[in-house]
Amino acid sequence: MKTNKSLTSLFVLFIICIVHSFAQVNFSDEVPLDPRVRRGVLSNGLTYYIQQNPKPENKVELRLAVNAGSVLESKKQLGLAHFTEHMAFNGTRNFEKNELVSYLQSIGVSFGADLNAYTSFDETVYILPIPSDDEEKLRSGFLVLSDWAGGILMRGEDIDAERGIIVEEWRTGQGYSQRLRDQYLPIMLHNSQYADRLPIGKMEVIKNFEYETIRQFYRDWYRPNNMAVIAVGDEDPDKLLALIEEYFGSWENPRNAPKRKFFEVPEHKETFVSILTDPEAPGIQIQLFYKHKALPLSTKEDYRNFLLRTLYGGMLTQRLDEIRQKPDAPFIFAGTGYGNFVRDLDYFSASGVVAPGKVEAGIQALIAENERVASFGFTQGELDRVKRSVLNSAERAFKEMDKTESSALVGRYVNHYLNGRFAEGEAWKYEFYREILPKITLEELNALAKTLVREDNRVIIVTAPDSEKENLPTEKQVLALFDAVGKMDLQPYEEKLLAENLLENLPAPGRIETMEHISPIDVYEIILSNGVKVFVKPTDFKNDEIVFSVRGEGGVSLFGDEDHYSASYAGVLVNVMGVGEFNPTDLRKILAGKSVSVTPNLGTYSQTISGSASPKDLEMAMQLIYLYFTAPREDRQLFDVFINNQKTQLASAQSNPDYQFSKELNRILVNGNLRATSIYAPEELAKIDMPRALEIYAESFSNAANFEFFFTGNIDLETFKPLLEQYVASLPSNPDQLDKFRDLGIRTPRGKSETIKVGTDEKSQVILFFSDEVEYDRKKATDIYYLGEILTIKLIETLREEIGGVYGVGASGSLGIQPVGNFSFSIGFPCSPDMVDSLIEAAWAEIRKIQENGPLEDDLNKVKEKRRLALEENLKRNNYWNAQLSAIRLYGLPFDAILEAKDYIEAVSVERIQKVAQEFLVKENLLEIKKYPLGRE
């Protein structure tokens, strides 16, 4: 790890300077860049951002931000900004086609998960995390960025090979959402260059453009004065700057390069109404967009203005959320927010999902709630809560400044360069919030109702299934709703008074019986007086994070077939109805400004509670855990609203091919077993009995001794132990009556092939699913995971790069122990219906190569290096330790198994991978599933 010895003292000095600067706020001042970042411009115009950041160790996040996207394309180039991004991985000055991906995989950087890129309207960004513990690896990262920026070869044969892959990417995006988007996007971006410049482009261009057309796009826009290099990570900034200068400093900008234009989205006086239907649309959505010119993002006043809009949208969304929980609500879900669509265009939006026959009521409700604010304003309680929430978020980020991972920081500098977004840093933001939030008044927030909701430059979009076409309002009827709201007799919003405490009377505490320190992994095993076992790992990975999970054996399996649906939905209903005296809206209000998340669930073979909290809010999290064990709340009104909304959504989903495929796929995978079947038809919701569901939930959580608790994070044991005694040791329990799950006979069929026909788009899906019962073996569990990773590498090389038949493909495998020892292994990819059989055969060819010869040593080493790096990073994450502790108890492994993980990586061999492929990937274990469009033979 590269450290700066003066980092701590500089940090303290920085905070002192920040606090002093806010004693005299001048809102015309520029918002400063985070002082930890070094920003500059080379003599050739290339911009750079460099920040030293210690988390994770020995890693630097690199980005190449190119200020060019699809909006700059000529009509002959539609789709070539995105195509250029693809070509960056198909041969550069220093890396032959496929060599780049192969090399990066060899140093632990995987294609897709780590190495990636994206293209949008205005930009193209290349993503490369690189190890920094080795000089050669670090230099190779800058060499790759340099090649992307100016050394893509663009050879004709490579361009031709990539055309099919782009077409397959386009094919995966086809469907109802694409068809609807293609109709309403030109209306949103009315009369602008953006309206006809979707990044995926036009397939007739992709298939037929001349080589020189894409080469010209690359020459025009990939130049030093139109891009930035961002480097954030565990390395000396001087060294990073020297590498940027070495690899980019000698470049020259092309002569007579075109000027980088910026495109406006013209305003319009009309209100555009777009009412669209599609036979496969899964429901009715309403969207109201009030378009605005993009806010300036420069001064402290600009920052404050953006914050005001954030507060306004948050408060209005909470009101809409309360409305949706009422009987006969005008919408199923709804929300508002302020955002940016493209560089020139901001918007305030109000959107929702509505039931059939409620389009007009839903739109009117969205308009009316904003008008209610304009007429009567928000309440002081609403403002206080949203202030507490945003301040708490800023405070948490501030506390984690020295523990934030580089991947979470690098994006702010990409956005600062490309879009002028703020990159102020956590300390400045926290102090700015502390300074200005108390001074923000209800009056100025209420006034935003008239500013954000305007009478011109509006777009209203309604999307629905074809079956609802006759029931939808006309454009004239929609426009009339604005006038109708003005005539409504609106009343002020009223809040009910809430109790200040989750628990009015604390339970009688139990006690800690024993506490053992498991020193090799620094975990404490605590046994409480009611028989509950608690495992605690104090860490310093994060300053303001505690992660917890609670697991008990049994789950839905303990209840009969007649209770299947009630049991399956028991956990969902508790989340819908709340706990104690508090419904979900009440809980949200009480938890405003707190960092607490607690979620119960009832699964097939276990019941769980999971969540997280900051150390200062840990007691509140413990109180919620106690309540979820002892006081699930019954609320007939919320239950009825939930069921009615589910009926509406299930009914509308029946025409959607993705839903149809999911339904049929589930039936096939579980062989029609009721106990693994969810609800797919509206009429089946009647099988959920609310009182019985609550009985099942209460029974499942009635014996705390049946559970084990896991806590990881910034835990002070002396503070934590009284909380355990108060809220966990006090839970009802009977250590003599522990539950064991029951095998429900859920098995995937083997040795067969199934075909599913849904939808009209010319796209297919292939799933090769291998499974069987097998005794759990930790080494084999490792081997089958590695087999999936290796096979993914080979399938990408063959199905994507050689054949050009898929955009994405993956394989994965695992071993489990519930309900019995078992393995599962799957290969999946979307493709053209014409390519299904040939691609399946190509996948089998790769399997046979591994079975006959074993994997290539180089491929095995790629996966090993990836796992080494992942393990190194995961061992310093609270979520990882929490999951590992729970898995160790579930699988009956020794605690030092966590420490053996590195040895398990090194022990995997070519022979072991070959053997597991021979044992598991055989046709008698295979369930082959092919999806075709309707009408295909």
Side-chain angles (χ1 to χ4, degrees):
M1 177 181 175
K2 289 78 179 173
T3 58
N4 186 334
K5 294 181 180 179
S6 60
L7 186 63
T8 302
S9 59
L10 284 175
F11 179 77
V12 173
L13 179 61
F14 168 59
I15 298 304
I16 293 173
C17 293
I18 286 287
V19 173
H20 177 73
S21 71
F22 278 98
Q24 303 173 23
V25 176
N26 185 341
F27 284 99
S28 64
D29 288 347
E30 298 282 315
V31 173
L33 269 177
D34 189 327
R36 297 172 298 172
V37 69
R38 185 186 300 184
R39 178 183 180 272
V41 181
L42 301 184
S43 59
N44 58 11
L46 182 131
T47 302
Y48 63 82
Y49 297 78
I50 300 169
Q51 180 179 331
Q52 183 176 16
N53 187 65
K55 297 277 286 187
E57 296 178 17
N58 302 318
K59 188 174 186 178
V60 173
E61 291 284 345
L62 296 178
R63 301 290 185 271
L64 176 69
V66 185
N67 187 24
S70 59
V71 75
L72 295 175
E73 296 165 347
S74 69
K75 290 187 177 180
K76 292 182 179 180
Q77 295 174 330
L78 297 179
L80 299 197
H82 174 238
F83 206 120
T84 299
E85 172 215 310
H86 274 240
M87 293 308 297
F89 302 92
N90 283 282
T92 64
R93 183 183 296 119
N94 291 285
F95 297 91
E96 285 296 317
K97 179 180 171 70
N98 298 329
E99 185 181 301
L100 170 62
V101 172
S102 181
Y103 167 71
L104 290 172
Q105 287 172 335
S106 74
I107 61 174
V109 181
S110 48
F111 183 55
D114 301 317
L115 173 68
N116 216 322
Y118 69 85
T119 304
S120 65
F121 285 116
D122 276 299
E123 70 231 29
T124 306
V125 177
Y126 296 86
I127 300 166
L128 177 59
I130 202 80
S132 61
D133 59 338
D134 179 275
E135 178 77 12
E136 181 181 348
K137 294 176 183 177
L138 182 60
R139 294 183 69 85
S140 72
F142 284 91
L143 180 63
V144 170
L145 253 63
S146 176
D147 272 12
W148 286 339
I152 302 176
L153 297 180
M154 296 283 185
R155 290 178 295 218
E157 61 270 26
D158 295 331
I159 291 172
D160 288 338
E162 197 66 20
R163 295 182 199 265
I165 296 172
I166 298 284
V167 170
E168 289 308 313
E169 181 177 0
W170 167 83
R171 190 190 308 279
T172 62
Q174 296 302 286
Y176 77 91
S177 60
Q178 160 266 323
R179 291 190 293 271
L180 294 170
R181 179 200 64 203
D182 288 354
Q183 294 179 76
Y184 67 69
L185 200 61
I187 298 171
M188 271 294 296
L189 300 170
H190 174 67
N191 212 20
S192 75
Q193 176 92 340
Y194 292 103
D196 192 36
R197 291 297 187 277
L198 281 176
I200 195 64
K202 304 290 186 182
M203 289 307 103
E204 56 267 30
V205 174
I206 296 299
K207 294 175 182 178
N208 300 300
F209 71 86
E210 295 181 358
Y211 305 144
E212 187 57 28
T213 308
I214 191 172
R215 292 168 183 160
Q216 186 63 52
F217 182 90
Y218 184 56
R219 286 194 299 267
D220 283 346
W221 304 114
Y222 280 60
R223 58 183 198 248
N225 63 8
N226 200 45
M227 57 179 61
V229 173
I230 300 97
V232 178
D234 188 23
E235 188 54 85
D236 176 29
D238 290 336
K239 183 175 182 178
L240 294 174
L241 177 56
L243 288 169
I244 291 172
E245 290 173 334
E246 177 182 349
Y247 284 97
F248 296 89
S250 61
W251 287 11
E252 295 181 1
N253 291 292
R255 292 181 180 180
N256 302 317
K259 183 180 179 181
R260 193 348 177 156
K261 296 180 181 178
F262 293 88
F263 299 89
E264 290 189 347
V265 179
E267 295 195 339
H268 47 86
K269 292 184 178 180
E270 310 97 320
T271 296
F272 294 140
V273 179
S274 181
I275 301 173
L276 307 170
T277 65
D278 188 274
E280 296 176 353
I284 307 174
Q285 296 187 36
I286 54 175
Q287 299 177 81
L288 282 67
F289 290 98
Y290 303 89
K291 300 194 293 183
H292 299 265
K293 285 296 180 181
L295 281 176
L297 299 173
S298 177
T299 67
K300 294 176 182 177
E301 183 66 30
D302 299 335
Y303 197 102
R304 188 178 188 276
N305 286 335
F306 190 82
L307 175 60
L308 289 175
R309 285 153 175 77
T310 301
L311 298 176
Y312 184 97
M315 287 190 287
L316 191 52
T317 294
Q318 296 303 338
R319 283 195 180 182
L320 297 176
D321 191 61
E322 287 187 40
I323 292 172
R324 76 166 181 86
Q325 298 177 57
K326 296 179 180 178
D328 200 33
F331 39 72
I332 298 171
F333 301 105
T336 65
Y338 191 88
N340 176 261
F341 204 88
V342 292
R343 289 183 179 177
D344 182 58
L345 178 62
D346 282 357
Y347 62 85
F348 177 71
S349 68
S351 58
V353 176
V354 301
K358 289 192 175 183
V359 171
E360 290 174 271
I363 294 173
Q364 183 166 292
L366 295 179
I367 299 169
E369 286 312 307
N370 198 82
E371 184 61 31
R372 195 187 311 275
V373 174
S375 299
F376 305 106
F378 291 108
T379 68
Q380 190 63 47
E382 289 176 296
L383 179 57
D384 290 343
R385 282 193 299 273
V386 75
K387 283 182 177 181
R388 288 199 300 269
S389 293
V390 298
L391 183 61
N392 179 66
S393 177
E395 181 182 11
R396 292 201 78 190
F398 167 68
K399 288 180 178 179
E400 300 292 7
M401 277 181 65
D402 60 330
K403 302 292 177 67
T404 302
E405 297 196 2
S406 299
S407 59
L409 298 172
V410 66
R412 67 172 62 160
Y413 305 122
V414 172
N415 284 324
H416 184 270
Y417 171 72
L418 292 170
N419 303 304
R421 298 286 167 185
F422 298 115
E424 70 283 6
E426 293 83 358
W428 186 93
K429 180 177 182 178
Y430 178 49
E431 288 301 328
F432 187 67
Y433 277 23
R434 289 180 63 188
E435 172 71 18
I436 67 166
L437 280 172
K439 299 175 182 177
I440 291 175
T441 65
L442 276 174
E443 289 72 24
E444 59 184 322
L445 276 165
N446 296 339
L448 276 179
K450 295 297 186 184
T451 302
L452 295 178
V453 178
R454 53 195 299 181
E455 295 185 359
D456 62 349
N457 215 29
R458 300 185 296 203
V459 176
I460 301 173
I461 299 168
V462 178
T463 60
D466 279 355
S467 59
E468 286 297 312
K469 188 176 294 186
E470 300 303 317
N471 301 321
L472 298 176
T474 64
E475 177 181 339
K476 184 178 180 180
Q477 288 172 322
V478 169
L479 291 174
L481 295 173
F482 288 94
D483 293 331
V485 168
K487 300 174 183 177
M488 291 175 65
D489 182 22
L490 299 174
Q491 298 299 314
Y493 168 80
E494 293 183 1
E495 283 196 280
K496 71 175 184 180
L497 294 176
L498 296 175
E500 294 184 1
N501 301 310
L502 289 174
L503 289 170
E504 289 300 325
N505 298 302
L506 297 182
R511 63 187 181 279
I512 292 174
E513 296 286 355
T514 64
M515 185 169 77
E516 176 188 355
H517 184 220
I518 306 168
S519 56
I521 57 172
D522 192 25
V523 168
Y524 294 87
E525 180 178 350
I526 300 171
I527 299 178
L528 304 178
S529 54
N530 57 355
V532 172
K533 287 185 177 180
V534 182
F535 299 88
V536 183
K537 180 171 177 60
T539 75
D540 60 0
F541 306 149
K542 288 281 191 179
N543 299 320
D544 203 41
E545 179 184 81
I546 296 171
V547 176
F548 53 83
S549 61
V550 183
R551 182 185 178 279
E553 196 167 297
V556 174
S557 74
L558 299 183
F559 302 92
D561 289 0
E562 69 281 4
D563 285 327
H564 171 65
Y565 292 111
S566 296
S568 297
Y569 275 77
V572 174
L573 293 181
V574 170
N575 283 298
V576 165
M577 296 188 292
V579 288
E581 300 300 316
F582 306 100
N583 64 34
T585 297
D586 299 335
L587 286 174
R588 172 183 52 76
K589 291 179 179 180
I590 290 174
L591 296 177
K594 310 287 186 183
S595 297
V596 176
S597 172
V598 184
T599 304
N601 184 55
L602 200 63
T604 303
Y605 297 116
S606 64
Q607 54 273 12
T608 62
I609 294 176
S610 59
S612 62
S614 66
K616 68 180 177 63
D617 297 321
L618 182 57
E619 181 165 10
M620 183 162 279
M622 300 295 283
Q623 291 179 347
L624 278 173
I625 291 173
Y626 179 86
L627 285 171
Y628 277 119
F629 264 93
T630 61
R633 182 173 179 273
E634 180 175 343
D635 190 315
R636 172 59 67 175
Q637 178 175 301
L638 286 176
F639 173 79
D640 289 342
V641 169
F642 171 75
I643 293 297
N644 288 335
N645 287 343
Q646 289 291 300
K647 284 180 180 178
T648 299
Q649 292 179 285
L650 286 173
S652 63
Q654 301 304 311
S655 61
N656 179 253
D658 293 333
Y659 183 81
Q660 295 166 10
F661 177 67
S662 176
K663 174 183 176 180
E664 186 62 14
L665 178 64
N666 175 263
R667 184 194 65 79
I668 292 170
L669 287 174
V670 303
N671 209 21
N673 190 318
L674 168 71
R675 302 310 304 274
T677 302
S678 187
I679 288 179
Y680 288 99
E683 59 272 14
E684 293 176 342
L685 289 163
K687 299 176 182 177
I688 301 174
D689 181 275
M690 184 191 69
R692 180 56 182 151
L694 286 177
E695 287 177 4
I696 289 169
Y697 179 93
E699 184 177 336
S700 299
F701 286 86
S702 62
N703 184 4
N706 197 48
F707 291 80
E708 293 186 337
F709 290 64
F710 304 90
F711 293 85
T712 55
N714 187 9
I715 301 168
D716 177 74
L717 276 176
E718 294 310 307
T719 303
F720 185 52
K721 286 190 288 186
L723 298 180
L724 284 177
E725 293 176 326
Q726 182 76 70
Y727 300 111
V728 180
S730 59
L731 290 170
S733 70
N734 186 345
D736 297 325
Q737 291 186 359
L738 302 182
D739 292 328
K740 294 290 182 183
F741 71 84
R742 187 166 59 90
D743 186 352
L744 297 176
I746 302 169
R747 303 291 189 274
T748 298
R750 303 157 51 238
K752 62 187 301 186
S753 179
E754 296 276 1
T755 298
I756 303 173
K757 294 185 178 182
V758 293
T760 57
D761 292 296
E762 281 293 297
K763 59 181 182 180
S764 285
Q765 178 84 19
V766 172
I767 299 173
L768 306 179
F769 193 89
F770 301 85
S771 65
D772 197 8
E773 295 182 15
V774 62
E775 184 178 350
Y776 181 81
D777 179 272
R778 193 175 165 205
K779 288 183 179 179
K780 283 187 178 180
T782 302
D783 295 343
I784 198 169
Y785 172 85
Y786 274 65
L787 175 60
E789 293 284 304
I790 291 169
L791 196 51
T792 295
I793 292 173
K794 306 316 291 184
L795 293 172
I796 290 173
E797 290 176 359
T798 304
L799 274 64
R800 174 176 163 133
E801 300 301 332
E802 292 181 17
I803 300 174
V806 303
Y807 171 62
V809 59
S812 62
S814 64
L815 262 65
I817 62 169
Q818 288 184 337
V820 295
N822 67 88
F823 91 89
S824 63
F825 189 95
S826 66
I827 298 170
F829 53 87
C831 64
S832 164
D834 297 327
M835 295 287 288
V836 167
D837 291 333
S838 61
L839 291 173
I840 289 175
E841 180 51 40
W844 268 109
E846 293 302 321
I847 292 171
R848 286 193 290 268
K849 288 178 186 177
I850 295 175
Q851 291 173 329
E852 293 168 5
N853 307 307
L856 296 178
E857 190 80 42
D858 284 350
D859 289 333
L860 175 57
N861 288 335
K862 290 174 185 177
V863 179
K864 283 188 174 183
E865 185 62 17
K866 175 184 175 182
R867 297 311 303 159
R868 291 186 194 106
L869 294 177
L871 177 63
E872 183 180 326
E873 294 177 13
N874 283 332
L875 285 172
K876 296 184 179 180
R877 290 173 175 150
N878 292 318
N879 276 311
Y880 176 81
W881 274 96
N882 199 275
Q884 290 298 304
L885 291 174
S886 180
I888 278 173
R889 296 296 296 174
L890 175 63
Y891 283 79
L893 300 173
F895 279 108
D896 57 9
I898 299 178
L899 303 179
E900 295 172 352
K902 187 174 182 180
D903 294 335
Y904 268 74
I905 292 173
E906 304 306 329
V908 179
S909 66
V910 167
E911 292 74 21
R912 280 172 48 177
I913 300 299
Q914 181 181 13
K915 185 176 180 181
V916 81
Q918 292 170 341
E919 181 180 354
F920 293 149
L921 303 192
V922 295
K923 293 209 170 181
E924 43 273 39
N925 291 337
L926 173 65
L927 170 62
E928 180 185 78
I929 301 172
K930 306 175 188 178
K931 184 187 83 169
Y932 286 103
L934 292 168
R936 277 276 184 164
E937 296 299 327

